[in-house]
Amino acid sequence: MKNQLDLQVNFHTHTYRCGHAQGEAEEYVLAAIKAGYKRLGFSDHGPFPNFIQPGMRMNFEELENYVKDIDSLKEKYKDQIEIYCGVEIEFTPSYLDYYKKLLTDYHLDYLVMGNHLMMNNAECLWYFERPNSIENLDDYITNSIAGLKSGLFSIFAHPDIILNSFTDKCDKEILNKLKILEQVAIENDIPLEINMQGYREKLEKCGSVNAPMFNNSYCYPYESYWATLKNSKVKVIVSLDAHNPSYFKDDNFGFAKYLIEKYNLNFTQNIQLKKI
């Protein structure tokens, strides 16, 4: 068996264009084929118009060529693997028309909502800039709910990433507030993502998946969050969040498998492509 989940799809894949991943798109395709994947979705960090963020996301001017590159790979490898083109991008209500444009004018197959920051008039506020702030958590939840309800997103990436901002503790009040995301995701048929890049970073920076929280460290996936979804109907997808083609080598998905089995999570390998 290829891995402990027999994972055959990955809809969360980056390329060199975001500035913090390595490798051309074709290198990821070849690595995924070699590893036995059946479907591969590219979701590099999407740009915002008139906004440059080096090392975090591609520039807006790169978007057209990004789509062309992926579309050419779809045709080239169509007999070996299904390829999809999307972006991972933060949701802010004022950019609603822009998200629609990504699906229509740029013909993207899907959008991944990955809420690292909140956009405001071409300025950004990272959700980790206000540690231990309930107001910050409320902003994250409000924008995430609006994104889930927009009908434009196919995956909610690392919904537990906000817990990184709570460097002191993660108590029941915080987890109870996040529970609302579960029901909204169910109502809109959007899978919540167990993110294996976070797992990899956690091992590297913290030494153990059970390590205490460290400021400025990737500590998701948080078991305490996934425990709140025990026996839930909400769909759960596992993603590599690949930033290097080497991620497609035989990998250990033991922690994701552990979470899925211990809490009877509703594991899926399918997403709905949201078209408007």
Side-chain angles (χ1 to χ4, degrees):
M1 185 164 60
K2 181 173 69 68
N3 54 56
Q4 295 186 45
L5 284 175
D6 193 22
L7 201 65
Q8 298 183 351
V9 306
N10 184 64
F11 290 103
H12 197 157
T13 310
H14 297 280
T15 74
Y16 75 93
R17 279 188 168 91
C18 69
H20 61 274
Q22 292 76 46
E24 299 275 354
E26 188 165 16
E27 295 179 72
Y28 287 86
V29 173
L30 293 172
I33 291 172
K34 185 176 181 179
Y37 282 73
K38 305 300 183 185
R39 288 179 286 167
L40 176 64
F42 283 92
S43 55
D44 217 345
H45 290 282
F48 288 98
N50 304 313
F51 181 71
I52 298 176
Q53 198 172 25
M56 172 61 190
R57 66 186 71 247
M58 72 178 83
N59 293 337
F60 182 74
E61 292 74 18
E62 297 179 274
L63 180 59
E64 186 174 348
N65 284 334
Y66 166 73
V67 175
K68 286 181 179 179
D69 286 351
I70 306 305
D71 284 348
S72 68
L73 294 172
K74 290 181 184 181
E75 179 63 24
K76 184 175 181 178
Y77 293 98
K78 64 182 179 181
D79 295 330
Q80 299 179 65
I81 192 170
E82 293 180 21
I83 298 175
Y84 302 86
C85 184
V87 295
E88 177 188 9
I89 196 164
E90 294 76 7
F91 182 82
T92 301
S94 59
Y95 284 89
L96 186 61
D97 288 340
Y98 174 60
Y99 304 131
K100 293 178 181 179
K101 185 176 181 179
L102 290 173
L103 291 170
T104 54
D105 294 10
Y106 289 92
H107 307 290
L108 294 184
D109 296 313
Y110 68 106
L111 303 178
V112 174
M113 182 169 67
N115 280 341
H116 310 87
L117 51 85
M118 178 170 52
M119 293 295 299
N120 183 20
N121 296 323
E123 296 182 357
C124 68
L125 174 65
W126 290 86
Y127 285 115
F128 316 119
E129 290 179 344
R130 292 181 287 175
N132 307 311
S133 166
I134 295 299
E135 180 185 6
N136 184 46
L137 175 65
D138 288 342
D139 288 343
Y140 175 83
I141 291 173
T142 297
N143 278 341
S144 297
I145 289 174
L148 290 168
K149 289 183 175 181
S150 71
L152 301 175
F153 292 87
S154 296
I155 300 173
F156 186 6
H158 40 59
D160 48 343
I161 192 173
I162 188 63
L163 298 180
N164 283 12
S165 68
F166 288 90
T167 57
D168 292 340
K169 61 180 180 178
C170 177
D171 57 24
K172 289 184 178 180
E173 177 188 6
I174 297 167
L175 294 172
N176 286 338
K177 277 180 169 287
L178 285 176
K179 282 290 286 181
I180 190 173
L181 299 177
E182 171 191 354
Q183 186 57 41
V184 180
I186 291 172
E187 292 170 355
N188 293 276
D189 194 23
I190 300 175
L192 305 179
E193 178 201 66
I194 297 176
N195 185 284
M196 299 311 295
Q197 169 69 359
Y199 173 83
R200 180 178 274 103
E201 293 271 5
K202 188 171 186 177
L203 287 179
E204 291 177 357
K205 293 184 178 181
C206 304
S208 166
V209 295
N210 297 315
M213 299 177 212
F214 292 94
N215 195 16
N216 298 320
S217 288
Y218 291 88
C219 291
Y220 57 89
Y222 288 94
E223 182 173 353
S224 56
Y225 170 76
W226 296 100
T228 68
L229 305 180
K230 184 175 182 179
N231 299 322
S232 174
K233 293 181 180 179
V234 69
K235 292 180 180 178
V236 172
I237 196 166
V238 177
S239 297
L240 284 172
D241 192 357
H243 285 71
N244 190 299
S246 65
Y247 287 18
F248 286 93
K249 293 179 180 178
D250 288 356
D251 211 335
N252 181 1
F253 290 90
F255 188 60
K257 185 172 186 287
Y258 160 79
L259 292 176
I260 290 166
E261 292 185 347
K262 181 174 182 179
Y263 301 110
N264 192 30
L265 302 179
N266 186 16
F267 176 57
T268 185
Q269 297 203 60
N270 296 304
I271 65 171
Q272 297 293 323
L273 302 179
K274 301 297 177 74
K275 289 295 184 181
I276 57 175

